[in-house]
């Protein structure tokens, strides 16, 4: 079965990272915002990154074109249509409210645009979803707590909180109190850790933030005791292959450690992270690791199975999707 036709779930996608250059230019025009680019091609040409921060600078600048509820709806809907076309049956998407609220866009507008698209995708495209609120770790823990409080009225439409943005220098421990509060309010937790940061950040995410999954986590291999713990507890890693190459975490796809992680017995999933910036959606990520690492059809099916097992769907819902995988 080709990766395009495998039923699968996506567990690591920043909705702001699905803003394609065409939509960026169209929304800038619609909202009367001047861009520092002459054309769609010039936007695309600017997407050359040396590390996470060089990407984040461009990504946060791009997000400024998102102004109205319709903009957030259109952004999310375009991504969900991609999901439907690539047999992504379920997706758990991150959004970064601080990126928008800090420039005067109301939380409720952002939330409403995104959740309306998620609702329509379920009924019109048959794509189910969950929403994960991410705190920006380069900002303060107090700012994260204020964002958490802003989100309380929307508690039932958000399944988990996460932690993203500049990793180095901003360890998970900085947000321990915020994550304690999030869990007390009934949310699950995830965190980016071990993308650029050391294995200690993964330990902190597990021990202090009590995460259900590690986002990225590829640097876990530097600490054998950590690998052993992740394997024993089957804590999933949401690995993002094209992202890792674009952000120079690995020199090229052939160097990526995804297959090594699978061979070690870790629960690995494949994800797109910021598909508009990194050259592909979920199917392209599957195809890239399949050809560069020589994954077998069985390993591709394993990755698809892991994507449902590592999701926040109920066991009964997971079973429905897993059955679809086993009959094909
Ligand atoms: N925000 C969007 N993409 C990210 C990534 N890969 N790492 C950290 N923060 C992000
Ligand atoms: Zn990410």
């Amino acid at each position: 079965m080709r990766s395009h036709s495998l039923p699968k779930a996506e567990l690591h996608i920043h909705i702001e990272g699905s803003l394609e250059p065409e939509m960026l230019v169209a929304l800038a025009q619609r909202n009367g915002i001047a861009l520092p680019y002459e054309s769609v091609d010039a936007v695309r040409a600017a997407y050359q990154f040396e590390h996470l921060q060089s990407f984040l600078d461009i990504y946060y600048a791009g997000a400024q074109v998102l102004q109205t509820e319709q903009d957030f709806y259109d952004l999310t809907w375009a991504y969900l249509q991609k999901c439907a076309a690539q047999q992504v049956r379920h997706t758990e998407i991150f959004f970064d409210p601080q990126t928008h609220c800090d420039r005067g866009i109301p939380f409720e507008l952002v939330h409403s645009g995104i959740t309306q698209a998620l609702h329509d995708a379920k009924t019109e495209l048959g794509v189910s979803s969950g929403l994960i609120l991410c705190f920006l770790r380069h900002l303060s823990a107090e700012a994260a707590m204020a964002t958490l409080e802003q989100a309380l009225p929307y508690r039932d439409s958000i399944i988990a909180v996460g932690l993203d943005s500049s990793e180095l220098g901003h360890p998970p421990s900085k947000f321990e109190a915020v994550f304690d509060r999030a869990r007390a309010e009934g949310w699950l937790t995830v965190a980016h850790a071990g993308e650029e940061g050391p294995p200690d950040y993964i330990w902190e995410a597990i021990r202090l933030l009590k995460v259900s999954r590690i986002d990225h986590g590829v640097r876990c291999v530097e600490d054998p005791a950590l690998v052993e713990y992740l394997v024993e507890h089957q804590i999933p890693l949401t690995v993002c292959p094209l992202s890792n190459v674009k952000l120079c975490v690995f020199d090229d796809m052939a160097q990526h450690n995804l297959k090594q992680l699978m061979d070690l017995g870790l629960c690995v999933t494949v994800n797109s992270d910021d598909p508009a910036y990194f050259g592909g959606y979920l199917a392209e990520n599957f195809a890239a690791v399949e050809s560069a690492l020589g994954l077998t059809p069985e390993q591709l099916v394993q990755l698809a199975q892991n994507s449902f097992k590592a999701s926040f769907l109920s066991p009964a819902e997971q079973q429905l999707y897993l059955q679809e995988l086993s009959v094909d």
Side-chain angles (χ1 to χ4, degrees), residues 12 14 192 216 273:
H12 183 157
H14 302 262
H192 284 54
H216 293 292
D273 205 5

Side-chain angles (χ1 to χ4, degrees), residues 259-274:
K259 188 172 179 304
Q260 181 195 358
L261 295 169
M262 292 183 78
D263 291 342
L264 286 166
L266 285 146
C267 179
V268 177
T269 67
V270 169
N271 304 273
S272 70
D273 205 5
D274 300 283

Side-chain angles (χ1 to χ4, degrees), residues 32-323:
I33 296 170
L35 285 177
Y37 306 106
E38 300 263 301
S39 65
V40 167
D41 285 344
V43 178
R44 205 163 258 122
Y47 292 175
Q48 305 292 336
F49 313 113
E50 291 146 37
H51 42 58
L52 176 58
Q53 192 60 49
S54 60
F55 155 69
L56 290 171
D57 294 342
I58 285 189
Y59 162 82
Y60 292 132
Q64 312 241 346
V65 303
L66 297 161
Q67 300 264 330
T68 68
E69 189 172 330
Q70 188 68 46
D71 297 342
F72 284 94
Y73 182 94
D74 291 348
L75 173 75
T76 311
W77 183 248
Y79 163 69
L80 292 160
Q81 283 182 303
K82 270 280 184 200
C83 288
Q86 298 196 342
Q87 314 306 322
V88 178
R89 300 280 192 265
H90 176 76
T91 178
E92 297 182 357
I93 71 166
F94 298 132
F95 76 122
D96 287 341
Q98 288 162 294
T99 300
H100 313 299
C101 298
D102 289 2
R103 55 190 175 88
I105 312 289
F107 186 103
E108 130 69 355
L109 174 158
V110 176
H111 176 269
S112 162
I114 295 173
T115 52
Q116 279 180 41
L118 296 179
H119 174 270
D120 291 353
K122 179 73 192 142
T123 55
E124 292 176 34
L125 305 173
V127 177
S128 60
S129 60
L131 186 58
I132 302 175
L133 183 162
C134 275
F135 302 112
L136 299 182
R137 69 204 300 161
H138 68 276
L139 301 178
S140 69
E142 291 72 28
M145 193 68 95
T147 300
L148 182 155
E149 278 165 8
Q150 246 183 327
L152 289 176
Y154 311 95
R155 183 196 325 242
D156 294 346
S157 60
I158 295 169
I159 40 167
V161 299
L163 191 61
D164 64 3
S165 194
S166 322
E167 187 181 4
L168 288 169
H170 302 285
S173 50
K174 175 175 163 185
F175 297 93
E176 188 176 358
V178 180
F179 276 62
D180 280 349
R181 174 80 187 277
R183 290 195 316 283
E185 297 290 351
W187 280 310
L188 296 163
T189 61
V190 296
H192 284 54
E195 177 186 17
E196 287 188 345
D200 274 358
Y201 284 21
I202 302 177
W203 278 122
E204 284 190 10
I206 294 166
R207 290 179 171 149
L208 305 180
L209 308 187
K210 312 225 182 325
V211 295
S212 304
R213 304 193 287 249
I214 295 288
D215 294 315
H216 293 292
V218 290
R219 288 196 57 191
C220 71
V221 289
E222 296 168 32
D223 180 345
L226 175 60
V227 170
E228 199 181 315
Y229 186 93
L230 292 167
V231 170
E232 186 187 341
H233 296 273
Q234 285 295 290
I235 297 175
L237 304 185
T238 63
V239 176
C240 305
L242 287 173
S243 163
N244 291 153
V245 173
K246 265 295 214 185
L247 300 186
C248 307
V249 173
F250 296 97
D251 290 342
D252 57 47
M253 198 57 84
Q255 308 297 317
H256 200 288
N257 69 2
L258 177 131
K259 188 172 179 304
Q260 181 195 358
L261 295 169
M262 292 183 78
D263 291 342
L264 286 166
L266 285 146
C267 179
V268 177
T269 67
V270 169
N271 304 273
S272 70
D273 205 5
D274 300 283
Y277 292 88
F278 299 149
Y281 288 77
L282 193 50
E284 288 81 16
N285 273 275
F286 267 82
V289 286
E290 178 183 7
S291 66
L293 305 178
L295 296 188
T296 63
E298 291 73 27
Q299 284 172 315
L300 294 171
V301 170
Q302 176 76 61
L303 288 167
Q305 283 174 340
N306 289 352
S307 72
F308 294 116
K309 290 182 186 166
S311 76
F312 293 138
L313 288 164
S314 70
E317 289 167 323
Q318 288 183 17
Q319 219 36 58
L320 286 177
Y321 288 119
L322 288 166
Q323 267 162 23

